[in-house]
Amino acid sequence: MNSEIHDLLDTHMLRHYEKELEEISSLLHEDIAQKMYALFNHLQYVQQYIDDRQDRTRNEEMIKLTKCTIEDLRFISQDVLPFCHKGINGAIEAFLLNYSKKNGVTVQIHSYGEKKRLPQIVEVFFYRLLKDMLKELADLFTVSHLEVTFFWEELVQIKIDYKIELQSKNKHEQFLHHIQEYNEKMELVKGTICLVRIDEHHCQLTISIQNER
């Protein structure tokens, strides 16, 4: 199979895969979450007419559980297909908001110029690779700060500051090997990864992708 045919096949499969994700996302958000929301409203209505204290407590617990389930469903729906309406910037911002809450990371986001979409395959590739990398970083080290800059006529750039604890020094050598693998993947969409060792315990990882048309 020649390179051109292989690239066309990859693009076709990606679009088919994203279409399936779109259907799953829609099912979670528009169908299941809406049904759960109807149940949530009904439980709240019933709560007004429950006299027994124990029954009221149990129903209140079900209301809280239903509310949490709705929030989880909507987050999963967004996580499955974050690009449908928001583009790469909205997808990254939504993911980093949750990442910040979960890992206690400070996040700064800057945007310059007129927003525009990247090619679909580039958006998907970049976003999912970023997610994998950040999750791996959070598992191994202490991520302290994230700075995202959208230079819409030039590039999208993400700077990640993380700390290497004493007990994780050996893991960092393994991570450096993964960085090389990530970089090779990024090169496929004209992206780069640069790692700078600030001192013995602190590093800054910069991920950039060209945004030129």
Side-chain angles (χ1 to χ4, degrees):
M1 184 182 297
N2 64 45
S3 177
E4 184 177 352
I5 294 176
H6 189 274
D7 289 344
L8 287 172
L9 181 59
D10 283 348
T11 301
H12 174 76
M13 291 302 295
L14 176 62
R15 288 174 178 167
H16 181 72
Y17 174 67
E18 291 299 312
K19 180 65 176 176
E20 290 181 342
L21 290 181
E22 183 178 351
E23 292 172 357
I24 294 170
S25 176
S26 178
L27 175 65
L28 289 170
H29 190 275
E30 303 299 333
D31 186 11
I32 300 176
Q34 291 300 323
K35 290 176 181 176
M36 292 298 297
Y37 188 69
L39 176 60
F40 172 73
N41 286 334
H42 180 70
L43 290 171
Q44 285 189 309
Y45 173 78
V46 170
Q47 184 75 352
Q48 304 174 66
Y49 301 98
I50 300 177
D51 296 323
D52 183 81
R53 179 179 298 178
Q54 190 173 18
D55 287 343
R56 283 183 63 85
T57 300
R58 288 174 179 171
N59 196 67
E60 183 65 30
E61 290 173 354
M62 290 303 299
I63 290 173
K64 292 178 181 178
L65 178 61
T66 305
K67 183 179 180 181
C68 288
T69 302
I70 293 170
E71 291 173 353
D72 288 345
L73 282 169
R74 287 178 174 166
F75 172 76
I76 293 170
S77 171
Q78 178 180 288
D79 195 48
V80 166
L81 191 71
F83 308 100
C84 189
H85 304 294
K86 297 184 176 182
I88 186 68
N89 59 309
I92 289 176
E93 288 175 19
F95 169 69
L96 291 185
L97 177 63
N98 183 68
Y99 186 87
S100 174
K101 291 178 179 178
K102 184 177 180 180
N103 299 290
V105 180
T106 59
V107 176
Q108 289 182 309
I109 299 176
H110 313 284
S111 183
Y112 303 99
E114 184 180 353
K115 293 181 181 180
K116 61 183 180 181
R117 298 295 298 264
L118 278 70
Q120 182 188 37
I121 191 169
V122 176
E123 287 191 344
V124 173
F125 191 93
F126 182 59
Y127 175 78
R128 301 206 183 282
L129 186 143
L130 174 65
K131 277 186 61 178
D132 289 345
M133 188 180 300
L134 282 174
K135 288 180 177 179
E136 184 174 1
L137 273 169
D139 289 341
L140 295 175
F141 314 112
T142 303
V143 180
S144 57
H145 184 259
L146 284 159
E147 183 175 7
V148 184
T149 307
F150 298 98
F151 297 101
W152 287 108
E153 298 301 323
E154 299 176 21
L155 55 82
V156 176
Q157 184 181 79
I158 300 175
K159 292 183 178 180
I160 307 164
D161 295 327
Y162 66 94
K163 181 180 179 182
I164 307 169
E165 307 291 349
L166 183 62
Q167 64 272 21
S168 59
K169 281 189 174 182
N170 291 336
K171 294 179 181 178
H172 196 249
E173 294 300 320
Q174 299 175 5
F175 181 68
L176 292 178
H177 178 70
H178 290 173
I179 287 294
Q180 181 60 34
E181 295 177 353
Y182 285 129
N183 197 37
E184 290 173 358
K185 293 177 181 179
M186 284 289 291
E187 288 175 353
L188 297 174
V189 289
K190 297 183 179 179
T192 60
I193 297 176
C194 178
L195 179 64
V196 176
R197 193 73 175 257
I198 298 173
D199 57 38
E200 185 180 358
H201 298 290
H202 298 85
C203 293
Q204 185 176 82
L205 190 64
T206 302
I207 309 167
S208 303
I209 189 165
Q210 297 299 313
N211 196 19
E212 298 177 347
R213 293 295 180 90

